Each structure stands twice: as C-alpha cells, then as structure tokens.
Amino acid sequence: MTMPSTADLIRRRFPHVSAAVLTVALCTVAVPASADSGPAGTTGGDTDAGARPTVVLVHGAFADASGWNGVIERLQGDGYTVLAPPNPLRGLASDSTYIASVLKNIKGPIVLAGHSYGGAVISSAAAGNPNVKSLVYVSAFMPDKGEALGQLAAKFPGSELNSALSPTPFETTSGKGTDLYIQPAKFHDVFAADLPAKTAAVMSAAQRPIAASAFTDKALAAAWRTIPSWALVAKQDKSIAPDLERFEAQRAGSHTVEIDSSHVAMISHPDTVTDLIRDAAGSSSSASASSDSSASASASSDASAGKPALADTGSRSLALAGLGAVAAAAVLTGAGLVLVTRRRRDTPSDPDASTAR
C-alpha cells in the first residue's frame, strides 16, 4: 500500500489550498545555507566568518625566514595558515612594496608580524590594505612616516650593532652598492647571545646582508597609526636598544610584553612570541566581527568588550530559510482556519456540537 504524501494529506484536509501555497510550504523548509557559507579558503562571497586569519611573518636583516620556524610550527599546530615570505633586504621602499604585493594575494584577514628590520617593512607594507587587522612587532623597528632607521636608532643608547657591521661593496647589472653584514666574531654577542654559540656560528655563516641604503631610506607610511599593534621588547637586545623598542611601542599604543631575550626572541622564546601572535589573531577575529556587523549597535558593543567570533554567514542563511518555513506554515494555518469558519457558517447549528468537540 502506498503511503500518501504530505502534500496529499494537506489537500485532503484543506482541498481549497492552492498548489502554490503547498509548494512554498514544502520547499522552504528544506532551503540549505547559501553558497557564501562554504569552507574557509573558498572564493564564494566574502571570507568565511569562522576562518582564522592568515599569519604572515616577515624576517629582518642578517637572517632569513627560517628564524620563524619555531613560531611557524606552533601556529600551524593551532590550525593557522602561515606564510613567511622572503624579505629582499634591498631597501625600505622596495622591500615594503614587495611585501605589500604578497599581502594583496591573500584572501581574508591577515595578522602581519615583523622582526627587527622586518618591523619597518610591515609598517609601510600594511598601509592601505583593509585585510591587515593586526600588526606584531618582535624586537623591531617601528618608524613613523618620513623617519629613517638610522635616525630612529640614534634616539637611544644601548645598541652595539653599528660597530659590529662589516660594509661590503657589491655590484649588479643595475649598479653598485654596499651590503652590510655582522662580523662573525661579534654575531653571537650582538645578535643572538641567548642561543648556543654553535647555533649562532651557523646563523652567522648563513646571514643575508642588507643594503646600507635601507638605513637611510625614509619610511613610506606608519600603518601602526591606524592598525592595532602588539610589541615585544627584548630587554637584552644589543642590536636595537630596548629603550628604543619601548619608545616605539608606547608611541604606537601597542599591547606590549617585555622578556629577557636577545634580539632573536622568536628563536630563543618561540612560545612567548607565538602567544603574542595568538593574542593579535584573536583581536583580528574580533575586529572582523565588529566590521561585518557594524549596522548593529549591540554587536559593536560586544566587539569592544571582548573577542567575539567572526560573523557566521552560514547560520544567517539557515535562519532565513527557517523564517521562510514559519511564514509558509502560517499561510497554511490561516487557510485552514478560513475554511473551517466557512463550513461552520454553512452548517445548521447542532445542539450537541459543543459536546462532540
């Protein structure tokens, strides 16, 4: 025996209900979430609200991206997408432009971190990019617009970097210039004093030089003036004076931590640096949620008070589908009531009707 469908049952009970109403009622209940609620990384609509930001780590002078390895491992273990692009180290303007081009190819929110000279690079590279939600500075330069790093470094005593440098001429097809290396004999003490001497010796041999012009170039922008920032002050830093790092963080209004570390805090204290980036990433999610729900005063209030999750577009779509189902059910109920009322008006009064009911 074939069981009657839901539509047949409704037609038998309410024969005057139109097929159109039945179609709306039965189809609306099953409306799925819209396409823009797909998984993170898809290109359908805006970035998935539940997705974590991409973390971009920019290394500084006399190093390469491998200095971030300990931090990368921890962030990847947390489920973050991490990118550590090469910093050309050819000049502040050109390096910033290059990193800015890398950022433009990343979809969704970004937490951008820079170590040492990398801090100066991210300050200019992030300017004007609405996807960069947080900046993280690890024992870094944080120049203001128009400042040169040499000028900034001279503000406070404590750095031994200048006397440890070894200028080396270079020549390319586009011209000549001067590269700066740290002298091998001074590398451990000035750059990485809290690492084993053998580790520092390997880092010294593999160091990437920076063009001397990078210290005279003027910063193109200061993204920390408009983007929330976090800063780590390395209290045993001999490459950038700790007092300069404090000054920069205070000037930028950065969320700041101080630790007993050499210049390479991300290598000697990867847990602390990772925690700082996690804090910035949490704030990034909060800022995105606030931006997506700016039309709601209550949502804005929540964003300023804590760290709410990014808006869930999938839930919104399901909610809209649910509302459609409720509306259709209301139409059916109203139609049924109208029919019952008409029948009562057309039927002679029954003295036992109340008892039957």
Side-chain angles (χ1 to χ4, degrees):
M1 177 179 178
T2 304
M3 295 297 292
S5 68
T6 303
D8 290 335
L9 290 174
I10 295 175
R11 287 192 186 96
R12 292 174 186 175
R13 180 61 178 169
F14 306 113
H16 298 286
V17 177
S18 70
V21 171
L22 287 174
T23 302
V24 171
L26 295 175
C27 294
T28 308
V29 175
V31 172
S34 63
D36 67 358
S37 62
T42 61
T43 56
D46 295 334
T47 302
D48 182 77
R52 289 178 169 179
T54 297
V55 178
V56 180
L57 307 171
V58 180
H59 68 83
F62 320 114
D64 59 25
S66 66
W68 290 106
N69 283 356
V71 174
I72 293 172
E73 180 181 358
R74 287 160 173 78
L75 290 172
Q76 288 180 335
D78 289 344
Y80 287 99
T81 298
V82 184
L83 179 64
N87 186 350
L89 306 179
R90 296 296 83 194
L92 187 53
S94 60
D95 295 343
S96 299
T97 300
Y98 173 75
I99 295 298
S101 71
V102 172
L103 300 177
K104 289 177 182 177
N105 290 313
I106 300 174
K107 292 182 174 62
I110 298 169
V111 172
L112 181 59
H115 169 247
S116 189
Y117 168 73
V121 172
I122 70 171
S123 291
S124 290
N129 187 330
N131 282 349
V132 180
K133 306 299 184 182
S134 305
L135 299 170
V136 181
Y137 295 91
V138 179
S139 44
F141 284 115
M142 299 172 63
D144 201 351
K145 182 178 180 179
E147 279 184 336
L149 300 188
Q151 167 194 353
L152 190 58
K155 286 182 176 291
F156 297 92
S159 172
E160 299 177 15
L161 179 62
N162 194 48
S163 61
L165 294 176
S166 176
T168 304
F170 71 84
E171 184 173 349
T172 68
T173 55
S174 58
K176 300 179 179 180
T178 301
D179 269 341
L180 299 177
Y181 292 83
I182 297 179
Q183 300 169 32
K186 296 182 178 181
F187 190 96
H188 185 211
D189 184 55
V190 171
F191 198 73
D194 53 357
L195 297 182
K198 289 184 177 180
T199 300
V202 172
M203 291 171 62
S204 174
Q207 66 176 296
R208 290 185 54 210
I210 186 170
S213 60
F215 288 93
T216 57
D217 291 345
K218 295 186 182 300
L220 301 177
W224 47 260
R225 287 196 171 276
T226 56
I227 301 174
S229 61
W230 281 252
L232 182 143
V233 174
K235 294 192 289 186
Q236 306 303 322
D237 198 338
K238 294 183 180 179
S239 292
I240 299 177
D243 283 341
L244 174 58
E245 294 173 16
R246 291 188 189 97
F247 163 78
E248 294 172 325
Q250 291 171 0
R251 178 172 67 173
S254 305
H255 306 275
T256 307
V257 298
E258 296 197 19
I259 61 173
D260 287 317
S261 174
S262 71
H263 187 58
V264 289
M266 71 286 187
I267 300 176
S268 58
H269 296 83
D271 287 322
T272 302
V273 173
T274 302
D275 284 343
L276 192 66
I277 294 172
R278 287 181 183 127
D279 287 345
S283 177
S284 166
S285 297
S286 177
S288 295
S290 178
S291 175
D292 289 344
S293 59
S294 58
S296 170
S298 60
S300 298
S301 176
D302 289 342
S304 63
K307 296 178 179 179
L310 290 168
D312 188 348
T313 55
S315 296
R316 287 200 301 271
S317 298
L318 288 173
L320 289 174
L323 288 174
V326 172
V331 170
L332 284 175
T333 302
L337 289 174
V338 169
L339 290 173
V340 170
T341 302
R342 286 179 178 174
R343 286 181 177 178
R344 287 179 178 174
R345 288 176 179 173
D346 296 339
T347 303
S349 59
D350 184 354
D352 296 326
S354 60
T355 305
R357 288 197 298 271

